Amino acid sequence: MNRKPQEAPVVAADLPRSEAVRRLQVAFAAMGLANPGLDARLLVCAACRIDTTALIAHPSVPLGQKEAECLNAFAQRRLAREPVARILGEREFWSIPFAVSDATLIPRPDTETLVELVLAHVADRRKPLRILDLGTGTGCILIALLNELPNATGTGIDISPEALAMAAHNAEKAGINTPAASRARFIRNDWAAGLEGPFDIIASNPPYIPTNIIETLEPDVWKYDPKTALDGGEDGLSAYQIILSQAPALLDPSGMLAVEIGQGQEDDLVSLAAAWNFREIDRRPD
């Protein structure tokens, strides 16, 4: 049940950091937010420009005036259901900080399962593998894989120029692309149309939410995530049909295709994959 938004608690200068956390946690819990304590701590740390260790070590340090004003603004945005990652402009994924924007999905822990699954099927992590990431967004899947596969190179595809710019920024920030060498390139394209392989790994977290249920999701998602990254068509399977039709021509004969899927889509995806002659199908719940 969605609760009526409320005014953010007034957090004044001279209030101890720990009390600021407590007040925000109470307000967030009253709104039914999933992780009120974590959200409160992250916002207090951001407003004070400290890390969690400093918050724990020095909980009684009072807020300054600018810190209190910043924190009040953060709290009001969170109570309007704006995700913390969008408020802060960053989210950690695979222990790597990723900048996010309005053009990208927020990297989520569930998607780390996709990275784990790919790595579990890589026999030799030192091989010079070629990776294709379809719908790259922030670049989190591709960059996480390149971080674990030191001799691999990759291509990230997205339809959004803004998302591609963010992915390129994240690749530089993560040390994947440097002035001396770039291991990832980011290209605007309509899925894999016109690309040339072979690729050893094709990975994707495509849009898979059926159109008519998008606005039944949590407001944190449907109000703030880009619709193009959510909308999987009438049955949620539109992007998979495209990917499965394009992947066979691009994959190395020993290559793998790894995709994230939505709840209740497993049987349909297994059938679609079999129709395109994918023979060995592994599944891993997040």
Side-chain angles (χ1 to χ4, degrees):
M1 179 183 296
N2 295 332
R3 294 166 172 80
K4 182 180 178 180
Q6 57 179 274
E7 291 296 317
V10 176
V11 177
D14 297 329
L15 191 73
R17 292 169 176 171
S18 58
E19 177 60 16
V21 171
R22 189 195 69 79
R23 291 191 187 186
L24 263 62
Q25 181 173 351
V26 169
F28 294 164
M31 278 291 293
L33 301 185
N35 298 292
L38 176 61
D39 290 356
R41 289 192 297 276
L42 289 173
L43 294 180
V44 169
C45 285
C48 296
R49 297 186 179 183
I50 60 174
D51 59 20
T52 305
T53 301
L55 177 63
I56 294 171
H58 307 287
S60 61
V61 172
L63 300 177
Q65 183 62 41
K66 289 185 178 180
E67 292 171 340
E69 291 174 358
C70 179
L71 187 54
N72 282 326
F74 283 169
Q76 191 63 62
R77 291 169 67 181
R78 186 66 188 110
L79 288 168
R81 300 305 294 264
E82 184 175 356
V84 169
R86 296 206 183 278
I87 296 171
L88 304 183
E90 185 176 274
R91 175 68 177 265
E92 185 175 284
F93 179 89
W94 206 254
S95 299
I96 302 169
F98 283 87
V100 301
S101 74
D102 291 343
T104 66
L105 284 177
I106 296 171
R108 291 173 168 85
D110 293 351
T111 305
E112 292 185 340
T113 305
L114 180 66
V115 176
E116 292 170 354
L117 181 62
V118 170
L119 293 174
H121 286 270
V122 174
D124 181 0
R125 294 195 181 187
R126 306 295 301 182
K127 287 185 66 175
L129 302 171
R130 293 185 64 196
I131 304 170
L132 177 63
D133 179 13
L134 295 173
T136 195
T138 60
C140 65
I141 294 173
L142 178 58
I143 292 167
L145 288 172
L146 293 177
N147 190 61
E148 298 293 333
L149 305 170
N151 296 316
T153 57
T155 300
I157 300 296
D158 209 287
I159 197 65
S160 165
E162 294 83 3
L164 292 168
M166 185 60 67
H169 167 78
N170 285 326
E172 292 178 9
K173 189 176 175 184
I176 297 299
N177 288 352
T178 68
S182 293
R183 297 172 55 208
R185 60 176 184 155
F186 298 96
I187 301 173
R188 188 181 186 191
N189 205 58
D190 186 8
W191 297 109
L195 295 182
E196 294 184 2
F199 291 95
D200 301 287
I201 299 165
I202 298 177
S204 183
N205 178 19
Y208 55 73
I209 308 298
T211 304
N212 65 349
I213 71 168
I214 289 176
E215 294 192 9
T216 70
L217 303 175
E218 287 293 317
D220 308 50
V221 176
W222 71 262
K223 287 178 65 175
Y224 294 99
D225 279 337
K227 296 298 187 294
T228 54
L230 297 175
D231 193 342
E234 183 178 353
D235 59 2
L237 303 176
S238 297
Y240 298 113
Q241 293 171 345
I242 296 170
I243 292 168
L244 287 166
S245 69
Q246 294 174 338
L250 294 171
L251 274 174
D252 182 87
S254 62
M256 75 178 84
L257 169 65
V259 295
E260 183 169 328
I261 67 174
Q263 185 175 0
Q265 294 177 325
E266 181 176 343
D267 291 343
D268 289 331
L269 261 294
V270 168
S271 297
L272 284 173
W276 284 101
N277 296 319
F278 287 91
R279 300 302 184 192
E280 297 180 23
I281 300 175
D282 191 5
R283 288 154 278 189
R284 181 172 298 189
D286 57 36

